[in-house]
Amino acid sequence: MKQFWLTFFGSIAGVIAGAILCVIFVIFLIGGLIGAALESAAPSDAPALPGRAMVLELDLRTPRLDQPSASPFAFAEPLSIVELSQALERARTDSRVAAVFVRANTVSLPAAHAEQLHTLLARVSEAGKPVIAHAQGFEGGSVLPYFAVGGADEIWMQDSASFTAVGLSVETLFLGGLFEQFGVQPQFVQFHEFKNAADTLTQTGYTEAHREATLSWLNSIHDTALAAIARSRGADPARLRELVEAGPYSAEQALDLGLVDRLGHVAAARQSVLDRAGPNARLVDIALYHRQPASPAPAQAPVIALVEAQGGIVTGASDSGLGGPVIGGDTLADAIDAAASDAAVRAIILRIDSPGGSAIASDQIWDAVMRARQAGKPVIASMGATAASGGYYIAAPADRIIAQATTLTGSIGMYGGKLVADEALSRLGLNLDPLYVGGEFTLAQSPAQSWSEAQAADYARLAEDVYEDFTLKVSEGRDMPLARIQQIARGRVWTGAQALELGLVDELGGFDAALTSARALAGLSETQRIRLQRFPARPEGLEALQALFGVSLDTVQSAQALNQLLQSPQAQTLLREQARLQAQGAELTAPTETPR
């Protein structure tokens, strides 16, 4: 009995202690957010950038998004690929920037991110500014981290590390066998054989079509990576391929074979780049450099609108929740409409990083792009790591589509269905027993029973309608015969390089290429000052805090103003005098105003 009460009261004490810790954590979290909000809203007191001889430091070891997050917690995130593109392009012509130092990713990163970073670093190097990269090994078998820093002037590697950047691989988890064991029956339709997302639910391994498509885009990315590395390092492409694929190597072997340039720890590599930059050179984090931009363009400068689409596509509003960002059809369509109706906007860049999602929401965004074009605003689709299925759907009507050579795109197809769980539930002694009124299709999506012949036929017909509409709109957007689109679609994923050959994209390049294209379509010269404006405007600081917690903007601004007042020299003098008088038994008060 004594043990019971000890356990009982111990459990209660544990719950109370846990609750207290949670409350303390939330208080600190809110306090941190308020502090960050006040800091971003107040006049910047961040350390000023040095006037010259900056060495920008870029750490690629932390995963980063393609586009800046709209989350209130975005202040804690590393710069996105779009922001890095802007920062490194500015650094290329900024006389204050003497060099760039890069901490390499050691395992892997998205292929298109690696390609964009490679290109940006190579452009900085071509501008005569040394780019030094340091890796604590190239591990995990993937060539992509090596690809990302392959545009640097020098690649250092820690001498105790290894070089295993020998190729590319994917691992696909198939659930068909698991469902069979538990009595779950997957029922799906797919248009067509290459729309292999459904295969992971229905199969126990790769189908021939799935294997063919996957190996095709893997080879395309691998070829692009090796060709770019060879070009930047002045190596023979065939010889470089032979060397890379014959790995792994120790650090000393990688140095002897010319795969890296120097061995040493990160401190030595950092000092090396500082020495090359000059005696007064100073390291500056690239995020600080990006957040303290050069003089802004004049208010009357023409505007290039940037509309960002990141995540799965859903109906309704966009969101940046714990599950990652999603693209809401309402939010994105409204943003495109707002940009199209703004007289100052000369062109629209639609930046896409999406595997697809809702066909209905995709069509809603497609319609907004069409309206923008009809309003006379050129639309340039800029593809990030992925612009597939619905991600390609929303790009299709653009005036120009620009993708990285390694972007995963296409997947022009659709699939849908359900998991029938009646047998699985019955094994647990459960019975999901449906009742319905109305037409037979009422229960088509129910997990309680398999499709009847009529339901299966109706579902397939609806899915085929979506596929035909998708291919028709791609045909119209790309100005290609429908028969040709249907031949190359079939749900197949292509790389950007393959998509260029097929006519599904117009140009290979990153965000910088999209900006150049937007200028051209808007009739603006390369040297003309422009304003790049996000639609919708991204909430920052106080606005983000208000959106997260419902805190009144006036309340937080009043707190900020009070804080600034109390920090003034006059207020500090009064406070010190009050403390002195209180110590002598006196009190300092303001005179009372009498209403009259």
Side-chain angles (χ1 to χ4, degrees), residues 202-566:
T202 61
Q203 305 294 324
T204 58
Y206 287 105
T207 63
E208 286 304 312
H210 194 169
R211 183 184 303 277
E212 174 192 336
T214 303
L215 287 174
S216 176
W217 61 255
L218 274 175
N219 274 307
S220 178
I221 292 173
H222 191 47
D223 292 346
T224 295
L226 292 178
I229 296 167
R231 187 166 53 249
S232 294
R233 293 184 63 77
D236 176 71
R239 175 60 177 161
L240 179 70
R241 177 184 289 272
E242 180 183 337
L243 288 176
V244 166
E245 294 181 354
Y249 302 109
S250 67
E252 290 78 8
Q253 289 173 320
L255 178 66
D256 291 342
L257 293 170
L259 295 172
V260 298
D261 301 295
R262 296 182 68 175
L263 301 184
H265 283 274
V266 63
R270 186 183 285 113
Q271 188 59 51
S272 173
V273 71
L274 285 170
D275 292 342
R276 291 181 64 170
N280 297 318
R282 182 180 131 194
L283 279 170
V284 174
D285 187 271
I286 196 166
L288 175 62
Y289 176 76
H290 175 69
R291 287 165 185 151
Q292 295 190 27
S295 58
Q300 66 273 19
V303 172
I304 301 295
L306 175 58
V307 179
E308 293 167 316
Q310 182 167 226
I313 302 174
V314 300
T315 56
S318 297
D319 187 34
S320 297
L322 296 177
V326 295
I327 304 164
D330 289 353
T331 302
L332 202 66
D334 288 347
I336 296 169
D337 287 340
S341 62
D342 190 324
V345 170
R346 301 285 293 273
I348 300 171
I349 296 176
L350 177 59
R351 177 70 178 188
I352 304 167
D353 185 27
S354 172
S358 165
I360 294 171
S362 299
D363 193 57
Q364 180 184 9
I365 298 165
W366 175 92
D367 183 60
V369 174
M370 292 296 292
R371 289 198 305 275
R373 291 186 59 185
Q374 291 163 5
K377 303 295 172 73
V379 180
I380 299 88
S382 172
M383 295 179 169
T386 305
S389 196
Y392 186 81
Y393 195 127
I394 65 177
D399 292 272
R400 192 161 184 82
I401 301 177
I402 301 175
Q404 300 280 166
T406 54
T407 296
L408 296 180
T409 189
S411 192
I412 303 168
M414 76 85 58
Y415 79 97
K418 65 178 181 178
L419 298 173
V420 182
D422 58 335
E423 182 182 341
L425 293 173
S426 68
R427 294 181 184 181
L428 299 174
L430 301 174
N431 178 31
L432 186 62
D433 195 0
L435 295 173
Y436 77 100
V437 296
E440 183 180 355
F441 199 75
T442 302
L443 290 181
Q445 296 284 21
S446 171
Q449 61 184 39
S450 301
W451 282 327
S452 67
E453 287 187 16
Q455 287 172 335
D458 286 339
Y459 197 94
R461 176 176 53 79
L462 294 175
E464 188 172 16
D465 287 345
V466 174
Y467 176 73
E468 290 180 353
D469 185 55
F470 192 173
T471 53
L472 179 62
K473 286 176 175 172
V474 172
S475 171
E476 293 172 351
R478 302 305 300 156
D479 193 21
M480 294 172 63
L482 178 60
R484 174 59 177 158
I485 294 298
Q486 290 175 337
Q487 179 185 11
I488 63 179
R490 309 192 70 79
R492 182 160 181 165
V493 174
W494 308 97
T495 63
Q498 294 170 325
L500 179 67
E501 294 179 358
L502 295 168
L504 296 177
V505 305
D506 299 296
E507 181 184 344
L508 298 182
F511 182 74
D512 52 317
L515 201 53
T516 299
S517 182
R519 284 178 175 274
L521 290 178
L524 304 172
S525 70
E526 291 188 13
T527 58
Q528 187 169 352
R529 298 291 299 277
I530 64 165
R531 289 186 293 133
L532 186 65
Q533 182 176 332
R534 285 191 167 89
F535 285 81
R538 190 171 303 281
E540 295 181 355
L542 299 174
E543 292 180 357
L545 184 67
Q546 185 180 20
L548 181 63
F549 292 113
V551 177
S552 166
L553 190 61
D554 290 338
T555 299
V556 182
Q557 287 176 328
S558 297
Q560 175 197 351
L562 178 61
N563 180 66
Q564 290 177 338
L565 176 62
L566 291 175

Side-chain angles (χ1 to χ4, degrees), residues 33 36 65 67-80 83 287 291 320 538-541 544-545 548:
L33 286 170
L65 295 171
Q67 302 151 31
S69 169
S71 166
F73 300 97
F75 63 85
E77 297 174 354
L79 293 184
S80 67
E83 291 170 314
R291 287 165 185 151
S320 297
R538 190 171 303 281
E540 295 181 355
L545 184 67
L548 181 63

Side-chain angles (χ1 to χ4, degrees), residues 185-202:
Q185 180 188 2
Q187 289 192 320
F188 285 85
V189 294
Q190 55 197 93
F191 289 88
H192 281 280
E193 70 275 17
F194 292 106
K195 193 66 176 179
N196 47 49
D199 291 350
T200 60
L201 303 173
T202 61

